[in-house]
Amino acid sequence: MPVYSMTGYASAQHGGSAGGAETEGRATQNRRLGLEIRSVNSRFLDLSFRLPDDLRSLEPALRSLLTAKLKRGKVEVRAAIENEDGNALQDPPARLLQRLNSLQDSVKAWLPNATPLSVADALRLCANANSGTEDWSEAVPALAEEALTALIAAREREGKRLAAMVLDRVKQLRSLAQQAVPLVPQLVEQQRQRFMERWKEAMALTDGATLPEAARDRALTEATAFAIRIDVAEEITRLESHLDEIERLLKKGGEVGKRLDFLIQELHREANTLGSKSAALDLTRISVDMKVLIEQMREQVQNIE
């Protein structure tokens, strides 16, 4: 299965009349329906709808369609209905104009100081009166299905890009881990030599109260304890295991975002431990470089579904 991003955008349009009734002996104006879906990352599936009043009744059907195909993300659905020619003014029906004039006279009879209707007011009211004459119950689900298919395709393309970026960081982390492996034995040997030099210096200054063998054993014990304290083999092994699991999940695909996020936290913990055990600048540098790469991975993984 592919890896899906939670970020995407898609839109679709439906033009022409959806079977509106005739008024004043002619068909109602053709109108265009536009629908767009945009999504960003979220811990859960969060749907929001911005629909005109004519389409409010279709929200449950749209919600059901989206929940069946999407699992995570903050998803916003917008729809708008407008004339085919947005610059054209349609002639308002005479019946509606008569009705508006009658209503205005009734209002002014009670409120003589009321402001008369302007031409713009009349056009707007006539347009609103005609807005509910079309039936979009069949067009909207089909249009939403089209937009959703395009959104899923966009999320898949973005997911593929994110997976490639994460795998590139995995490769760099493996390289850093391999650089860290030979440093520990070198540090242990250097520290052992340092302890032995200090032991020899101490023997040169001793008054004979302490046996050389006991002092030598103490130095070796401290060297051994130091070796155990700075040994990062366990951290490197766990880090490699986490990287293997990340690669496996990305290859498997599907809903892997939450598991990847957990593994990123584990990677960060191992890199921190490696840094805390660092006894050389090279190992500290490796730990810092690892944490930079892991943080870059975290930013990408948080967008994966």
Side-chain angles (χ1 to χ4, degrees), residues 167-179:
L167 288 174
D168 177 68
R169 303 307 189 275
V170 167
K171 182 179 179 181
Q172 295 182 55
L173 283 171
R174 289 191 187 279
S175 176
L176 289 173
Q178 292 304 312
Q179 294 176 34

PDB file of all heavy atoms in Angstrom, residues 167-179:
ATOM      1  N   LEU A 167      13.294   8.121   4.320  1.00  0.00           N
ATOM      2  CA  LEU A 167      14.258   7.058   4.023  1.00  0.00           C
ATOM      3  C   LEU A 167      15.665   7.618   3.810  1.00  0.00           C
ATOM      4  O   LEU A 167      16.661   6.971   4.164  1.00  0.00           O
ATOM      5  CB  LEU A 167      13.806   6.277   2.785  1.00  0.00           C
ATOM      6  CG  LEU A 167      12.588   5.368   2.983  1.00  0.00           C
ATOM      7  CD1 LEU A 167      12.154   4.758   1.662  1.00  0.00           C
ATOM      8  CD2 LEU A 167      12.898   4.270   3.995  1.00  0.00           C
ATOM      9  N   ASP A 168      15.744   8.810   3.239  1.00  0.00           N
ATOM     10  CA  ASP A 168      17.051   9.442   3.070  1.00  0.00           C
ATOM     11  C   ASP A 168      17.669   9.758   4.436  1.00  0.00           C
ATOM     12  O   ASP A 168      18.872   9.545   4.652  1.00  0.00           O
ATOM     13  CB  ASP A 168      16.897  10.730   2.249  1.00  0.00           C
ATOM     14  CG  ASP A 168      18.219  11.468   2.099  1.00  0.00           C
ATOM     15  OD1 ASP A 168      19.117  10.951   1.411  1.00  0.00           O
ATOM     16  OD2 ASP A 168      18.360  12.566   2.689  1.00  0.00           O
ATOM     17  N   ARG A 169      16.847  10.231   5.381  1.00  0.00           N
ATOM     18  CA  ARG A 169      17.361  10.501   6.729  1.00  0.00           C
ATOM     19  C   ARG A 169      17.744   9.205   7.435  1.00  0.00           C
ATOM     20  O   ARG A 169      18.710   9.176   8.202  1.00  0.00           O
ATOM     21  CB  ARG A 169      16.306  11.244   7.564  1.00  0.00           C
ATOM     22  CG  ARG A 169      15.818  12.562   6.974  1.00  0.00           C
ATOM     23  CD  ARG A 169      16.944  13.516   6.626  1.00  0.00           C
ATOM     24  NE  ARG A 169      16.479  14.826   6.258  1.00  0.00           N
ATOM     25  CZ  ARG A 169      16.090  15.187   5.043  1.00  0.00           C
ATOM     26  NH1 ARG A 169      16.105  14.294   4.044  1.00  0.00           N
ATOM     27  NH2 ARG A 169      15.706  16.438   4.792  1.00  0.00           N
ATOM     28  N   VAL A 170      17.005   8.141   7.195  1.00  0.00           N
ATOM     29  CA  VAL A 170      17.351   6.830   7.767  1.00  0.00           C
ATOM     30  C   VAL A 170      18.739   6.404   7.288  1.00  0.00           C
ATOM     31  O   VAL A 170      19.569   5.920   8.080  1.00  0.00           O
ATOM     32  CB  VAL A 170      16.292   5.781   7.376  1.00  0.00           C
ATOM     33  CG1 VAL A 170      16.798   4.366   7.689  1.00  0.00           C
ATOM     34  CG2 VAL A 170      14.985   6.042   8.108  1.00  0.00           C
ATOM     35  N   LYS A 171      18.995   6.590   6.016  1.00  0.00           N
ATOM     36  CA  LYS A 171      20.303   6.234   5.455  1.00  0.00           C
ATOM     37  C   LYS A 171      21.420   7.037   6.115  1.00  0.00           C
ATOM     38  O   LYS A 171      22.483   6.491   6.464  1.00  0.00           O
ATOM     39  CB  LYS A 171      20.289   6.482   3.946  1.00  0.00           C
ATOM     40  CG  LYS A 171      21.576   6.107   3.240  1.00  0.00           C
ATOM     41  CD  LYS A 171      21.468   6.355   1.744  1.00  0.00           C
ATOM     42  CE  LYS A 171      22.767   6.001   1.034  1.00  0.00           C
ATOM     43  NZ  LYS A 171      22.666   6.260  -0.431  1.00  0.00           N
ATOM     44  N   GLN A 172      21.176   8.326   6.324  1.00  0.00           N
ATOM     45  CA  GLN A 172      22.198   9.164   6.969  1.00  0.00           C
ATOM     46  C   GLN A 172      22.410   8.771   8.426  1.00  0.00           C
ATOM     47  O   GLN A 172      23.544   8.797   8.933  1.00  0.00           O
ATOM     48  CB  GLN A 172      21.786  10.637   6.872  1.00  0.00           C
ATOM     49  CG  GLN A 172      21.740  11.178   5.442  1.00  0.00           C
ATOM     50  CD  GLN A 172      21.377  12.655   5.407  1.00  0.00           C
ATOM     51  OE1 GLN A 172      22.019  13.481   6.046  1.00  0.00           O
ATOM     52  NE2 GLN A 172      20.346  12.996   4.653  1.00  0.00           N
ATOM     53  N   LEU A 173      21.329   8.395   9.115  1.00  0.00           N
ATOM     54  CA  LEU A 173      21.466   7.956  10.509  1.00  0.00           C
ATOM     55  C   LEU A 173      22.273   6.666  10.601  1.00  0.00           C
ATOM     56  O   LEU A 173      23.081   6.494  11.524  1.00  0.00           O
ATOM     57  CB  LEU A 173      20.087   7.763  11.136  1.00  0.00           C
ATOM     58  CG  LEU A 173      19.344   9.041  11.542  1.00  0.00           C
ATOM     59  CD1 LEU A 173      17.918   8.717  11.943  1.00  0.00           C
ATOM     60  CD2 LEU A 173      20.078   9.726  12.693  1.00  0.00           C
ATOM     61  N   ARG A 174      22.055   5.749   9.682  1.00  0.00           N
ATOM     62  CA  ARG A 174      22.849   4.508   9.677  1.00  0.00           C
ATOM     63  C   ARG A 174      24.326   4.820   9.486  1.00  0.00           C
ATOM     64  O   ARG A 174      25.195   4.207  10.124  1.00  0.00           O
ATOM     65  CB  ARG A 174      22.354   3.587   8.561  1.00  0.00           C
ATOM     66  CG  ARG A 174      20.988   2.969   8.815  1.00  0.00           C
ATOM     67  CD  ARG A 174      20.711   1.876   7.794  1.00  0.00           C
ATOM     68  NE  ARG A 174      19.365   1.366   7.871  1.00  0.00           N
ATOM     69  CZ  ARG A 174      18.955   0.460   8.747  1.00  0.00           C
ATOM     70  NH1 ARG A 174      19.812  -0.007   9.642  1.00  0.00           N
ATOM     71  NH2 ARG A 174      17.707   0.029   8.741  1.00  0.00           N
ATOM     72  N   SER A 175      24.608   5.775   8.613  1.00  0.00           N
ATOM     73  CA  SER A 175      26.004   6.146   8.375  1.00  0.00           C
ATOM     74  C   SER A 175      26.635   6.726   9.638  1.00  0.00           C
ATOM     75  O   SER A 175      27.777   6.389   9.992  1.00  0.00           O
ATOM     76  CB  SER A 175      26.068   7.174   7.232  1.00  0.00           C
ATOM     77  OG  SER A 175      27.394   7.622   7.035  1.00  0.00           O
ATOM     78  N   LEU A 176      25.891   7.572  10.356  1.00  0.00           N
ATOM     79  CA  LEU A 176      26.407   8.134  11.603  1.00  0.00           C
ATOM     80  C   LEU A 176      26.613   7.049  12.668  1.00  0.00           C
ATOM     81  O   LEU A 176      27.591   7.085  13.422  1.00  0.00           O
ATOM     82  CB  LEU A 176      25.448   9.205  12.130  1.00  0.00           C
ATOM     83  CG  LEU A 176      25.398  10.515  11.333  1.00  0.00           C
ATOM     84  CD1 LEU A 176      24.284  11.411  11.853  1.00  0.00           C
ATOM     85  CD2 LEU A 176      26.740  11.245  11.408  1.00  0.00           C
ATOM     86  N   ALA A 177      25.679   6.097  12.729  1.00  0.00           N
ATOM     87  CA  ALA A 177      25.816   5.006  13.691  1.00  0.00           C
ATOM     88  C   ALA A 177      27.072   4.190  13.418  1.00  0.00           C
ATOM     89  O   ALA A 177      27.795   3.789  14.353  1.00  0.00           O
ATOM     90  CB  ALA A 177      24.582   4.115  13.653  1.00  0.00           C
ATOM     91  N   GLN A 178      27.354   3.950  12.141  1.00  0.00           N
ATOM     92  CA  GLN A 178      28.556   3.203  11.798  1.00  0.00           C
ATOM     93  C   GLN A 178      29.825   3.971  12.145  1.00  0.00           C
ATOM     94  O   GLN A 178      30.855   3.382  12.477  1.00  0.00           O
ATOM     95  CB  GLN A 178      28.541   2.858  10.294  1.00  0.00           C
ATOM     96  CG  GLN A 178      27.464   1.862   9.901  1.00  0.00           C
ATOM     97  CD  GLN A 178      27.560   0.573  10.701  1.00  0.00           C
ATOM     98  OE1 GLN A 178      28.640  -0.006  10.846  1.00  0.00           O
ATOM     99  NE2 GLN A 178      26.427   0.119  11.232  1.00  0.00           N
ATOM    100  N   GLN A 179      29.740   5.306  12.069  1.00  0.00           N
ATOM    101  CA  GLN A 179      30.895   6.114  12.465  1.00  0.00           C
ATOM    102  C   GLN A 179      31.125   6.045  13.975  1.00  0.00           C
ATOM    103  O   GLN A 179      32.259   6.143  14.449  1.00  0.00           O
ATOM    104  CB  GLN A 179      30.676   7.577  12.052  1.00  0.00           C
ATOM    105  CG  GLN A 179      30.622   7.825  10.558  1.00  0.00           C
ATOM    106  CD  GLN A 179      30.310   9.273  10.232  1.00  0.00           C
ATOM    107  OE1 GLN A 179      30.705  10.196  10.932  1.00  0.00           O
ATOM    108  NE2 GLN A 179      29.563   9.483   9.145  1.00  0.00           N
TER     109      GLN A 179
END
